[in-house]
Amino acid sequence: MRIERIILQTVRLRLREPFRISSGETFHRRILLLTMETDAVAGRAECVAGESPNYSYETNETARWVLEAWLIPAVLGLDFQEPAEVAAVLDGAARGHSMAKAAIEMAAWDAAATARGESLARLLGGQRARVQAGVSIGLQPDLDTLFRRIQEFVDEGYLRVKLKIAPGRDVDMVAAVRSRFPDLPLTVDANAAYGVRDLDRLCKLDRLGLLLIEQPFSEDDLLLHAELQRRIDTPVCLDESITSPARCRGAIELRAGHMVNIKPGRVGGHAASLAIHDLCRDAGWPVWIGGMLESGIGRAHNVALASLPNVLLPGDTSASRRYWTRDIVCPEFALNDDGTVTVPTEPGIGVHVDEAFLKEIEETRREFTA
């Protein structure tokens, strides 16, 4: 397939409620969408970078600049048989900027699957028709609100609840939740908010029956994660630290945890995600698929990846209505009665974009032709 044209769009989606983590609060999501048109079919993806550099150094604007100046020119006119060929070209065009690269690379996977008439999940090697769905709850103003939100999601059927934590809003809060919901599969996510002085405090979470403690320390401090894992039985799960297969290999060698949250948009796309999945499988580390407030396009990519065999825990594959007042795909992703989300089976990402709605919320648009 030859890449003939690439379209970059920015849209603004409204969240049903503000989403608060240790590093900031989000009321809406400005999303950078990418459409890759080949001589045969089109593929779609999105860049997961946010508007501010609170999660990663990449933002909407840095990603758009790198895409326009370096990455898109590198692939326009490229003939490819396998999407991995696109990833190699992107790595040669720029260092870093994995979120920007992932937008092109994942669109190429969608195009490749569509051209072959098979689902993205099948092309990736997925083995499940449904994937277990979890839900992530941002920091809440008080315990009563938190209890109410948890109960709502339990009643909806979600199989795992993830709580965001931050210094001063951690052990006592989680203990209260565990007391109220003694059998609930529960995880916590710190988004790298803690440091070496917090080791003893984080160890107190070990008695609360958590499935995992996600990314307590800075992304570049694997040794501190390894120290915490030595002190506790609860698995430490790495998120922001896993930026590439090489980084994952290092984490495994250092025993810096025992689980990985794979976010394809963060690691550079599906080829890197598959490599990380296989490394963890071979090491006996379970993985799960995280989310970054994606629209239905990004969610479709994540759900396809979540069908892989070593994805052993419910991920952040929530229904569209968990986050959005209205999603850009139809039908929107929904939660099944058994707490799962159905893996699309139509060619490519397997969802249809609501083009009329997309036009309504479009802020910018630029086209690049070979």
Side-chain angles (χ1 to χ4, degrees), residues 149-195:
R149 297 298 289 137
I150 293 173
Q151 189 63 58
E152 289 172 356
F153 291 125
V154 169
D155 291 344
E156 287 184 38
Y158 283 101
L159 299 174
R160 179 229 67 194
V161 170
K162 179 168 76 174
L163 304 178
K164 297 292 184 177
I165 61 173
R169 304 184 68 181
D170 41 41
V171 178
D172 291 343
M173 179 186 76
V174 178
V177 171
R178 177 50 79 210
S179 178
R180 177 67 68 93
F181 300 92
D183 301 319
L184 177 65
L186 191 65
T187 72
V188 297
D189 182 11
N191 291 112
Y194 293 85

mmCIF file of all heavy atoms in Angstrom, residues 149-195:
data_model
loop_
_atom_site.group_PDB
_atom_site.id
_atom_site.type_symbol
_atom_site.label_atom_id
_atom_site.label_comp_id
_atom_site.label_asym_id
_atom_site.label_seq_id
_atom_site.Cartn_x
_atom_site.Cartn_y
_atom_site.Cartn_z
ATOM 1 N N ARG A 149 -19.512 7.052 43.846
ATOM 2 C CA ARG A 149 -19.043 6.792 42.483
ATOM 3 C C ARG A 149 -18.648 5.329 42.327
ATOM 4 O O ARG A 149 -18.954 4.689 41.310
ATOM 5 C CB ARG A 149 -17.844 7.690 42.166
ATOM 6 C CG ARG A 149 -18.128 9.164 42.184
ATOM 7 C CD ARG A 149 -19.163 9.557 41.125
ATOM 8 N NE ARG A 149 -18.620 9.474 39.785
ATOM 9 C CZ ARG A 149 -19.273 8.953 38.749
ATOM 10 N NH1 ARG A 149 -20.471 8.404 38.918
ATOM 11 N NH2 ARG A 149 -18.734 8.943 37.550
ATOM 12 N N ILE A 150 -17.968 4.768 43.322
ATOM 13 C CA ILE A 150 -17.588 3.358 43.247
ATOM 14 C C ILE A 150 -18.826 2.481 43.135
ATOM 15 O O ILE A 150 -18.894 1.573 42.294
ATOM 16 C CB ILE A 150 -16.752 2.956 44.473
ATOM 17 C CG1 ILE A 150 -15.393 3.664 44.443
ATOM 18 C CG2 ILE A 150 -16.553 1.435 44.505
ATOM 19 C CD1 ILE A 150 -14.573 3.449 45.703
ATOM 20 N N GLN A 151 -19.824 2.753 43.973
ATOM 21 C CA GLN A 151 -21.031 1.933 43.957
ATOM 22 C C GLN A 151 -21.732 2.008 42.605
ATOM 23 O O GLN A 151 -22.258 1.000 42.098
ATOM 24 C CB GLN A 151 -21.982 2.369 45.072
ATOM 25 C CG GLN A 151 -23.162 1.421 45.262
ATOM 26 C CD GLN A 151 -22.720 0.038 45.684
ATOM 27 O OE1 GLN A 151 -22.055 -0.127 46.699
ATOM 28 N NE2 GLN A 151 -23.065 -0.975 44.891
ATOM 29 N N GLU A 152 -21.751 3.185 42.007
ATOM 30 C CA GLU A 152 -22.364 3.339 40.692
ATOM 31 C C GLU A 152 -21.684 2.439 39.662
ATOM 32 O O GLU A 152 -22.349 1.761 38.868
ATOM 33 C CB GLU A 152 -22.294 4.804 40.247
ATOM 34 C CG GLU A 152 -23.217 5.733 41.010
ATOM 35 C CD GLU A 152 -22.977 7.193 40.659
ATOM 36 O OE1 GLU A 152 -22.029 7.471 39.883
ATOM 37 O OE2 GLU A 152 -23.727 8.054 41.172
ATOM 38 N N PHE A 153 -20.355 2.419 39.694
ATOM 39 C CA PHE A 153 -19.634 1.615 38.713
ATOM 40 C C PHE A 153 -19.745 0.118 39.013
ATOM 41 O O PHE A 153 -19.812 -0.707 38.098
ATOM 42 C CB PHE A 153 -18.171 2.050 38.643
ATOM 43 C CG PHE A 153 -17.978 3.406 38.040
ATOM 44 C CD1 PHE A 153 -17.292 4.405 38.727
ATOM 45 C CD2 PHE A 153 -18.494 3.705 36.794
ATOM 46 C CE1 PHE A 153 -17.119 5.663 38.177
ATOM 47 C CE2 PHE A 153 -18.336 4.963 36.230
ATOM 48 C CZ PHE A 153 -17.649 5.947 36.926
ATOM 49 N N VAL A 154 -19.773 -0.247 40.280
ATOM 50 C CA VAL A 154 -19.999 -1.652 40.644
ATOM 51 C C VAL A 154 -21.378 -2.091 40.158
ATOM 52 O O VAL A 154 -21.541 -3.183 39.598
ATOM 53 C CB VAL A 154 -19.859 -1.844 42.169
ATOM 54 C CG1 VAL A 154 -20.354 -3.232 42.580
ATOM 55 C CG2 VAL A 154 -18.410 -1.652 42.597
ATOM 56 N N ASP A 155 -22.378 -1.248 40.343
ATOM 57 C CA ASP A 155 -23.730 -1.574 39.902
ATOM 58 C C ASP A 155 -23.806 -1.705 38.380
ATOM 59 O O ASP A 155 -24.601 -2.505 37.863
ATOM 60 C CB ASP A 155 -24.715 -0.500 40.373
ATOM 61 C CG ASP A 155 -24.906 -0.515 41.891
ATOM 62 O OD1 ASP A 155 -24.537 -1.522 42.522
ATOM 63 O OD2 ASP A 155 -25.407 0.493 42.432
ATOM 64 N N GLU A 156 -22.984 -0.927 37.670
ATOM 65 C CA GLU A 156 -22.973 -1.031 36.216
ATOM 66 C C GLU A 156 -22.340 -2.331 35.744
ATOM 67 O O GLU A 156 -22.603 -2.785 34.630
ATOM 68 C CB GLU A 156 -22.236 0.172 35.601
ATOM 69 C CG GLU A 156 -23.008 1.475 35.657
ATOM 70 C CD GLU A 156 -22.270 2.605 34.959
ATOM 71 O OE1 GLU A 156 -21.636 2.346 33.908
ATOM 72 O OE2 GLU A 156 -22.312 3.739 35.458
ATOM 73 N N GLY A 157 -21.485 -2.921 36.587
ATOM 74 C CA GLY A 157 -20.904 -4.210 36.230
ATOM 75 C C GLY A 157 -19.418 -4.218 35.977
ATOM 76 O O GLY A 157 -18.871 -5.244 35.539
ATOM 77 N N TYR A 158 -18.721 -3.109 36.250
ATOM 78 C CA TYR A 158 -17.280 -3.086 36.027
ATOM 79 C C TYR A 158 -16.583 -4.081 36.961
ATOM 80 O O TYR A 158 -16.941 -4.223 38.126
ATOM 81 C CB TYR A 158 -16.729 -1.670 36.227
ATOM 82 C CG TYR A 158 -17.020 -0.771 35.053
ATOM 83 C CD1 TYR A 158 -18.062 0.153 35.106
ATOM 84 C CD2 TYR A 158 -16.277 -0.876 33.879
ATOM 85 C CE1 TYR A 158 -18.353 0.961 34.015
ATOM 86 C CE2 TYR A 158 -16.559 -0.065 32.787
ATOM 87 C CZ TYR A 158 -17.598 0.848 32.861
ATOM 88 O OH TYR A 158 -17.883 1.636 31.779
ATOM 89 N N LEU A 159 -15.573 -4.761 36.406
ATOM 90 C CA LEU A 159 -14.936 -5.876 37.100
ATOM 91 C C LEU A 159 -13.741 -5.470 37.954
ATOM 92 O O LEU A 159 -13.217 -6.288 38.712
ATOM 93 C CB LEU A 159 -14.487 -6.928 36.076
ATOM 94 C CG LEU A 159 -15.618 -7.531 35.240
ATOM 95 C CD1 LEU A 159 -15.056 -8.450 34.167
ATOM 96 C CD2 LEU A 159 -16.613 -8.269 36.124
ATOM 97 N N ARG A 160 -13.311 -4.221 37.837
ATOM 98 C CA ARG A 160 -12.183 -3.725 38.615
ATOM 99 C C ARG A 160 -12.300 -2.218 38.730
ATOM 100 O O ARG A 160 -12.707 -1.551 37.766
ATOM 101 C CB ARG A 160 -10.863 -4.079 37.921
ATOM 102 C CG ARG A 160 -9.605 -3.595 38.630
ATOM 103 C CD ARG A 160 -8.657 -2.878 37.650
ATOM 104 N NE ARG A 160 -9.207 -1.633 37.167
ATOM 105 C CZ ARG A 160 -8.723 -0.966 36.137
ATOM 106 N NH1 ARG A 160 -7.728 -1.432 35.430
ATOM 107 N NH2 ARG A 160 -9.278 0.191 35.766
ATOM 108 N N VAL A 161 -11.955 -1.689 39.890
ATOM 109 C CA VAL A 161 -11.969 -0.242 40.094
ATOM 110 C C VAL A 161 -10.552 0.214 40.412
ATOM 111 O O VAL A 161 -9.870 -0.372 41.261
ATOM 112 C CB VAL A 161 -12.917 0.159 41.243
ATOM 113 C CG1 VAL A 161 -12.728 1.629 41.608
ATOM 114 C CG2 VAL A 161 -14.376 -0.105 40.848
ATOM 115 N N LYS A 162 -10.114 1.245 39.705
ATOM 116 C CA LYS A 162 -8.804 1.852 39.962
ATOM 117 C C LYS A 162 -9.010 3.220 40.592
ATOM 118 O O LYS A 162 -9.748 4.057 40.060
ATOM 119 C CB LYS A 162 -7.988 1.981 38.674
ATOM 120 C CG LYS A 162 -6.630 2.642 38.890
ATOM 121 C CD LYS A 162 -5.728 2.493 37.671
ATOM 122 C CE LYS A 162 -6.094 3.412 36.545
ATOM 123 N NZ LYS A 162 -5.104 3.344 35.442
ATOM 124 N N LEU A 163 -8.344 3.441 41.715
ATOM 125 C CA LEU A 163 -8.417 4.720 42.412
ATOM 126 C C LEU A 163 -7.148 5.520 42.172
ATOM 127 O O LEU A 163 -6.040 4.999 42.313
ATOM 128 C CB LEU A 163 -8.583 4.509 43.923
ATOM 129 C CG LEU A 163 -9.765 3.670 44.402
ATOM 130 C CD1 LEU A 163 -9.709 3.546 45.915
ATOM 131 C CD2 LEU A 163 -11.080 4.289 43.960
ATOM 132 N N LYS A 164 -7.288 6.768 41.827
ATOM 133 C CA LYS A 164 -6.141 7.660 41.779
ATOM 134 C C LYS A 164 -5.773 8.066 43.212
ATOM 135 O O LYS A 164 -6.661 8.354 44.030
ATOM 136 C CB LYS A 164 -6.443 8.905 40.949
ATOM 137 C CG LYS A 164 -6.746 8.618 39.488
ATOM 138 C CD LYS A 164 -5.522 8.109 38.749
ATOM 139 C CE LYS A 164 -5.814 7.925 37.262
ATOM 140 N NZ LYS A 164 -4.612 7.501 36.508
ATOM 141 N N ILE A 165 -4.472 8.064 43.517
ATOM 142 C CA ILE A 165 -4.008 8.479 44.836
ATOM 143 C C ILE A 165 -2.947 9.559 44.679
ATOM 144 O O ILE A 165 -2.363 9.727 43.603
ATOM 145 C CB ILE A 165 -3.451 7.295 45.661
ATOM 146 C CG1 ILE A 165 -2.252 6.650 44.952
ATOM 147 C CG2 ILE A 165 -4.543 6.272 45.931
ATOM 148 C CD1 ILE A 165 -1.545 5.586 45.791
ATOM 149 N N ALA A 166 -2.687 10.260 45.778
ATOM 150 C CA ALA A 166 -1.675 11.310 45.816
ATOM 151 C C ALA A 166 -1.234 11.454 47.273
ATOM 152 O O ALA A 166 -1.945 11.038 48.190
ATOM 153 C CB ALA A 166 -2.240 12.635 45.296
ATOM 154 N N PRO A 167 -0.051 12.016 47.518
ATOM 155 C CA PRO A 167 0.395 12.206 48.902
ATOM 156 C C PRO A 167 -0.657 12.916 49.741
ATOM 157 O O PRO A 167 -1.175 13.962 49.351
ATOM 158 C CB PRO A 167 1.661 13.054 48.733
ATOM 159 C CG PRO A 167 2.206 12.645 47.395
ATOM 160 C CD PRO A 167 0.985 12.444 46.535
ATOM 161 N N GLY A 168 -0.986 12.302 50.883
ATOM 162 C CA GLY A 168 -2.011 12.848 51.753
ATOM 163 C C GLY A 168 -3.406 12.345 51.441
ATOM 164 O O GLY A 168 -4.347 12.545 52.229
ATOM 165 N N ARG A 169 -3.548 11.682 50.299
ATOM 166 C CA ARG A 169 -4.840 11.118 49.906
ATOM 167 C C ARG A 169 -4.601 9.689 49.429
ATOM 168 O O ARG A 169 -4.740 9.391 48.245
ATOM 169 C CB ARG A 169 -5.492 11.977 48.819
ATOM 170 C CG ARG A 169 -5.664 13.430 49.222
ATOM 171 C CD ARG A 169 -6.385 14.227 48.172
ATOM 172 N NE ARG A 169 -7.784 13.815 48.059
ATOM 173 C CZ ARG A 169 -8.638 14.359 47.191
ATOM 174 N NH1 ARG A 169 -8.241 15.321 46.372
ATOM 175 N NH2 ARG A 169 -9.884 13.946 47.139
ATOM 176 N N ASP A 170 -4.171 8.854 50.368
ATOM 177 C CA ASP A 170 -3.740 7.522 49.968
ATOM 178 C C ASP A 170 -4.166 6.448 50.961
ATOM 179 O O ASP A 170 -5.234 5.866 50.836
ATOM 180 C CB ASP A 170 -2.228 7.490 49.718
ATOM 181 C CG ASP A 170 -1.431 8.275 50.744
ATOM 182 O OD1 ASP A 170 -1.760 8.201 51.940
ATOM 183 O OD2 ASP A 170 -0.465 8.958 50.361
ATOM 184 N N VAL A 171 -3.343 6.165 51.988
ATOM 185 C CA VAL A 171 -3.559 4.993 52.834
ATOM 186 C C VAL A 171 -4.918 5.039 53.537
ATOM 187 O O VAL A 171 -5.693 4.073 53.471
ATOM 188 C CB VAL A 171 -2.419 4.847 53.861
ATOM 189 C CG1 VAL A 171 -2.700 3.645 54.765
ATOM 190 C CG2 VAL A 171 -1.077 4.671 53.152
ATOM 191 N N ASP A 172 -5.221 6.127 54.186
ATOM 192 C CA ASP A 172 -6.484 6.204 54.920
ATOM 193 C C ASP A 172 -7.670 6.127 53.960
ATOM 194 O O ASP A 172 -8.687 5.473 54.254
ATOM 195 C CB ASP A 172 -6.549 7.489 55.740
ATOM 196 C CG ASP A 172 -5.567 7.488 56.901
ATOM 197 O OD1 ASP A 172 -5.083 6.399 57.266
ATOM 198 O OD2 ASP A 172 -5.266 8.578 57.428
ATOM 199 N N MET A 173 -7.553 6.796 52.831
ATOM 200 C CA MET A 173 -8.639 6.783 51.853
ATOM 201 C C MET A 173 -8.865 5.374 51.314
ATOM 202 O O MET A 173 -10.008 4.890 51.248
ATOM 203 C CB MET A 173 -8.314 7.742 50.706
ATOM 204 C CG MET A 173 -9.383 7.784 49.621
ATOM 205 S SD MET A 173 -8.877 8.789 48.189
ATOM 206 C CE MET A 173 -7.707 7.653 47.394
ATOM 207 N N VAL A 174 -7.781 4.706 50.942
ATOM 208 C CA VAL A 174 -7.909 3.361 50.380
ATOM 209 C C VAL A 174 -8.405 2.385 51.433
ATOM 210 O O VAL A 174 -9.218 1.494 51.157
ATOM 211 C CB VAL A 174 -6.568 2.900 49.778
ATOM 212 C CG1 VAL A 174 -6.684 1.475 49.231
ATOM 213 C CG2 VAL A 174 -6.123 3.848 48.667
ATOM 214 N N ALA A 175 -7.949 2.550 52.679
ATOM 215 C CA ALA A 175 -8.425 1.691 53.762
ATOM 216 C C ALA A 175 -9.925 1.858 53.969
ATOM 217 O O ALA A 175 -10.645 0.872 54.220
ATOM 218 C CB ALA A 175 -7.668 2.006 55.051
ATOM 219 N N ALA A 176 -10.414 3.069 53.861
ATOM 220 C CA ALA A 176 -11.849 3.312 54.012
ATOM 221 C C ALA A 176 -12.631 2.642 52.883
ATOM 222 O O ALA A 176 -13.704 2.061 53.102
ATOM 223 C CB ALA A 176 -12.117 4.813 54.033
ATOM 224 N N VAL A 177 -12.085 2.728 51.668
ATOM 225 C CA VAL A 177 -12.736 2.071 50.528
ATOM 226 C C VAL A 177 -12.748 0.559 50.719
ATOM 227 O O VAL A 177 -13.762 -0.111 50.493
ATOM 228 C CB VAL A 177 -12.043 2.456 49.205
ATOM 229 C CG1 VAL A 177 -12.570 1.608 48.048
ATOM 230 C CG2 VAL A 177 -12.244 3.939 48.915
ATOM 231 N N ARG A 178 -11.616 0.017 51.148
ATOM 232 C CA ARG A 178 -11.546 -1.426 51.350
ATOM 233 C C ARG A 178 -12.524 -1.880 52.440
ATOM 234 O O ARG A 178 -13.147 -2.944 52.319
ATOM 235 C CB ARG A 178 -10.115 -1.830 51.701
ATOM 236 C CG ARG A 178 -9.925 -3.300 52.006
ATOM 237 C CD ARG A 178 -10.519 -4.206 50.936
ATOM 238 N NE ARG A 178 -9.666 -4.316 49.770
ATOM 239 C CZ ARG A 178 -10.143 -4.528 48.547
ATOM 240 N NH1 ARG A 178 -11.448 -4.621 48.333
ATOM 241 N NH2 ARG A 178 -9.330 -4.646 47.520
ATOM 242 N N SER A 179 -12.679 -1.086 53.469
ATOM 243 C CA SER A 179 -13.629 -1.430 54.522
ATOM 244 C C SER A 179 -15.061 -1.431 53.999
ATOM 245 O O SER A 179 -15.872 -2.299 54.363
ATOM 246 C CB SER A 179 -13.506 -0.446 55.691
ATOM 247 O OG SER A 179 -14.434 -0.732 56.702
ATOM 248 N N ARG A 180 -15.392 -0.462 53.137
ATOM 249 C CA ARG A 180 -16.744 -0.367 52.586
ATOM 250 C C ARG A 180 -16.980 -1.426 51.503
ATOM 251 O O ARG A 180 -18.099 -1.935 51.367
ATOM 252 C CB ARG A 180 -16.958 1.035 52.004
ATOM 253 C CG ARG A 180 -18.305 1.247 51.336
ATOM 254 C CD ARG A 180 -19.453 1.205 52.336
ATOM 255 N NE ARG A 180 -19.417 2.343 53.235
ATOM 256 C CZ ARG A 180 -20.079 3.486 53.027
ATOM 257 N NH1 ARG A 180 -20.833 3.623 51.950
ATOM 258 N NH2 ARG A 180 -20.003 4.456 53.909
ATOM 259 N N PHE A 181 -15.918 -1.773 50.739
ATOM 260 C CA PHE A 181 -16.042 -2.729 49.637
ATOM 261 C C PHE A 181 -14.999 -3.841 49.825
ATOM 262 O O PHE A 181 -13.980 -3.884 49.137
ATOM 263 C CB PHE A 181 -15.824 -2.030 48.295
ATOM 264 C CG PHE A 181 -16.786 -0.919 48.000
ATOM 265 C CD1 PHE A 181 -16.483 0.397 48.344
ATOM 266 C CD2 PHE A 181 -18.004 -1.176 47.388
ATOM 267 C CE1 PHE A 181 -17.361 1.432 48.073
ATOM 268 C CE2 PHE A 181 -18.905 -0.159 47.115
ATOM 269 C CZ PHE A 181 -18.584 1.149 47.452
ATOM 270 N N PRO A 182 -15.232 -4.753 50.765
ATOM 271 C CA PRO A 182 -14.193 -5.724 51.144
ATOM 272 C C PRO A 182 -13.803 -6.703 50.045
ATOM 273 O O PRO A 182 -12.678 -7.210 50.046
ATOM 274 C CB PRO A 182 -14.820 -6.462 52.336
ATOM 275 C CG PRO A 182 -16.285 -6.249 52.209
ATOM 276 C CD PRO A 182 -16.452 -4.894 51.598
ATOM 277 N N ASP A 183 -14.703 -6.984 49.089
ATOM 278 C CA ASP A 183 -14.410 -7.987 48.058
ATOM 279 C C ASP A 183 -14.157 -7.393 46.676
ATOM 280 O O ASP A 183 -14.006 -8.131 45.698
ATOM 281 C CB ASP A 183 -15.581 -8.983 47.973
ATOM 282 C CG ASP A 183 -15.829 -9.695 49.293
ATOM 283 O OD1 ASP A 183 -14.840 -10.078 49.947
ATOM 284 O OD2 ASP A 183 -17.009 -9.849 49.667
ATOM 285 N N LEU A 184 -14.113 -6.093 46.592
ATOM 286 C CA LEU A 184 -13.972 -5.435 45.297
ATOM 287 C C LEU A 184 -12.549 -5.562 44.758
ATOM 288 O O LEU A 184 -11.585 -5.214 45.453
ATOM 289 C CB LEU A 184 -14.330 -3.955 45.438
ATOM 290 C CG LEU A 184 -14.177 -3.083 44.181
ATOM 291 C CD1 LEU A 184 -15.156 -3.523 43.106
ATOM 292 C CD2 LEU A 184 -14.402 -1.611 44.536
ATOM 293 N N PRO A 185 -12.357 -6.058 43.533
ATOM 294 C CA PRO A 185 -11.034 -6.008 42.903
ATOM 295 C C PRO A 185 -10.604 -4.552 42.749
ATOM 296 O O PRO A 185 -11.234 -3.780 42.018
ATOM 297 C CB PRO A 185 -11.250 -6.692 41.550
ATOM 298 C CG PRO A 185 -12.439 -7.577 41.758
ATOM 299 C CD PRO A 185 -13.322 -6.804 42.693
ATOM 300 N N LEU A 186 -9.539 -4.177 43.448
ATOM 301 C CA LEU A 186 -9.189 -2.768 43.611
ATOM 302 C C LEU A 186 -7.717 -2.547 43.300
ATOM 303 O O LEU A 186 -6.857 -3.335 43.719
ATOM 304 C CB LEU A 186 -9.487 -2.363 45.047
ATOM 305 C CG LEU A 186 -9.444 -0.887 45.438
ATOM 306 C CD1 LEU A 186 -10.534 -0.113 44.704
ATOM 307 C CD2 LEU A 186 -9.624 -0.748 46.950
ATOM 308 N N THR A 187 -7.414 -1.489 42.559
ATOM 309 C CA THR A 187 -6.036 -1.082 42.310
ATOM 310 C C THR A 187 -5.908 0.406 42.609
ATOM 311 O O THR A 187 -6.910 1.131 42.679
ATOM 312 C CB THR A 187 -5.609 -1.341 40.853
ATOM 313 O OG1 THR A 187 -6.261 -0.403 39.978
ATOM 314 C CG2 THR A 187 -5.968 -2.749 40.409
ATOM 315 N N VAL A 188 -4.663 0.865 42.771
ATOM 316 C CA VAL A 188 -4.418 2.298 42.966
ATOM 317 C C VAL A 188 -3.352 2.763 41.984
ATOM 318 O O VAL A 188 -2.468 1.996 41.580
ATOM 319 C CB VAL A 188 -3.983 2.620 44.414
ATOM 320 C CG1 VAL A 188 -5.088 2.270 45.383
ATOM 321 C CG2 VAL A 188 -2.696 1.906 44.791
ATOM 322 N N ASP A 189 -3.443 4.017 41.604
ATOM 323 C CA ASP A 189 -2.533 4.593 40.616
ATOM 324 C C ASP A 189 -2.051 5.949 41.118
ATOM 325 O O ASP A 189 -2.859 6.847 41.373
ATOM 326 C CB ASP A 189 -3.252 4.745 39.278
ATOM 327 C CG ASP A 189 -2.353 5.303 38.180
ATOM 328 O OD1 ASP A 189 -1.126 5.371 38.388
ATOM 329 O OD2 ASP A 189 -2.884 5.655 37.109
ATOM 330 N N ALA A 190 -0.734 6.082 41.263
ATOM 331 C CA ALA A 190 -0.154 7.317 41.803
ATOM 332 C C ALA A 190 0.320 8.283 40.731
ATOM 333 O O ALA A 190 0.640 9.433 41.035
ATOM 334 C CB ALA A 190 1.022 6.977 42.719
ATOM 335 N N ASN A 191 0.417 7.837 39.471
ATOM 336 C CA ASN A 191 0.932 8.702 38.407
ATOM 337 C C ASN A 191 2.233 9.393 38.802
ATOM 338 O O ASN A 191 2.417 10.598 38.625
ATOM 339 C CB ASN A 191 -0.105 9.737 37.980
ATOM 340 C CG ASN A 191 -1.285 9.113 37.261
ATOM 341 O OD1 ASN A 191 -2.398 9.107 37.782
ATOM 342 N ND2 ASN A 191 -1.055 8.572 36.078
ATOM 343 N N ALA A 192 3.154 8.594 39.408
ATOM 344 C CA ALA A 192 4.518 9.047 39.721
ATOM 345 C C ALA A 192 4.561 10.190 40.733
ATOM 346 O O ALA A 192 5.468 11.021 40.696
ATOM 347 C CB ALA A 192 5.249 9.447 38.433
ATOM 348 N N ALA A 193 3.622 10.211 41.675
ATOM 349 C CA ALA A 193 3.520 11.334 42.604
ATOM 350 C C ALA A 193 4.390 11.202 43.853
ATOM 351 O O ALA A 193 4.485 12.146 44.633
ATOM 352 C CB ALA A 193 2.060 11.511 43.027
ATOM 353 N N TYR A 194 5.055 10.062 44.069
ATOM 354 C CA TYR A 194 5.766 9.814 45.317
ATOM 355 C C TYR A 194 7.279 9.772 45.111
ATOM 356 O O TYR A 194 7.768 9.674 43.977
ATOM 357 C CB TYR A 194 5.280 8.496 45.933
ATOM 358 C CG TYR A 194 3.849 8.532 46.400
ATOM 359 C CD1 TYR A 194 2.812 8.286 45.499
ATOM 360 C CD2 TYR A 194 3.526 8.829 47.712
ATOM 361 C CE1 TYR A 194 1.486 8.326 45.910
ATOM 362 C CE2 TYR A 194 2.205 8.864 48.140
ATOM 363 C CZ TYR A 194 1.188 8.618 47.231
ATOM 364 O OH TYR A 194 -0.112 8.665 47.636
ATOM 365 N N GLY A 195 8.013 9.836 46.246
ATOM 366 C CA GLY A 195 9.472 9.794 46.225
ATOM 367 C C GLY A 195 10.003 8.841 47.275
ATOM 368 O O GLY A 195 9.249 8.147 47.961
#
